[in-house]
Amino acid sequence: MIHHLRTAAELGALAPAATARRAVVMTMGALHDGHATLIRTARSLVGPEGQVVVTVFVNPLQFGAGEDLDRYPRTLEADLKTAAEAGADAVFAPSADEVYPDGGPQVRITAGPMGELLEGASRPGHFDGMLTVVAKLLHLTRPTSRSTGRRTPSSWP
């Protein structure tokens, strides 16, 4: 059975055992075989006692003017099934209000000049939004560090 989590509190309640590892696969949903491969790889890294959490979050910060956030595919029921079949323990699918409780992030990360290259040249702010949400989701999900074996701290706003 896969856990469908919607809030940071629910995610926090699903803490792994003290010695277990947690891997996180971040997605915007509409899961496909590539995502399933990432989930299976995460499972192999944490082992049977570890936890694999898949995030499904369509990040409004990644969409600029004229880009249709509302039309981005949202297939949560299918995503839950794909994640479970690939070996995930939980899907964390928060609302925008859960991720950005005050309507926007308290902290933003900028890609700097690199964010203006390639796709960033035609989508201003896209990479800033992506970096910001990845940092926020890392804070919320607290995966285990491969280098230290410890879970990341939960002190970032």
Side-chain angles (χ1 to χ4, degrees):
M1 176 187 107
I2 193 160
H3 298 275
H4 176 193
L5 312 171
R6 295 172 186 86
T7 67
E10 291 172 341
L11 184 61
L14 188 72
T19 59
R21 299 173 65 83
R22 176 184 276 176
V24 177
V25 177
M26 294 184 195
T27 80
M28 287 179 49
L31 302 185
H32 50 68
D33 289 340
H35 293 111
T37 298
L38 291 172
I39 295 165
R40 287 190 295 272
T41 301
R43 170 56 60 206
S44 72
L45 290 171
V46 300
E49 301 302 315
Q51 264 185 3
V52 176
V53 176
V54 175
T55 65
V56 172
F57 181 65
V58 180
N59 180 26
L61 298 182
Q62 289 176 235
F63 291 82
E67 297 177 343
D68 204 344
L69 169 66
D70 294 332
R71 288 199 348 218
Y72 193 88
R74 289 166 173 83
T75 58
L76 186 56
E77 290 306 315
D79 293 345
L80 289 165
K81 182 179 180 203
T82 299
E85 289 172 354
D89 297 293
V91 169
F92 178 51
S95 67
D97 289 337
E98 184 70 20
V99 176
Y100 306 121
D102 296 321
Q106 294 178 9
V107 174
R108 289 184 184 262
I109 299 175
T110 180
M114 292 296 294
E116 298 170 9
L117 301 176
L118 303 171
E119 189 171 3
S122 61
R123 298 181 72 191
H126 171 74
F127 291 112
D128 295 351
M130 183 182 69
L131 291 171
T132 298
V133 78
V134 165
K136 181 69 176 194
L137 290 172
L138 284 171
H139 161 73
L140 290 169
T141 58
R142 299 185 61 222
T144 306
S145 166
R146 287 193 71 189
S147 62
T148 67
R150 295 187 206 120
R151 290 190 56 214
T152 56
S154 62
S155 60
W156 196 72

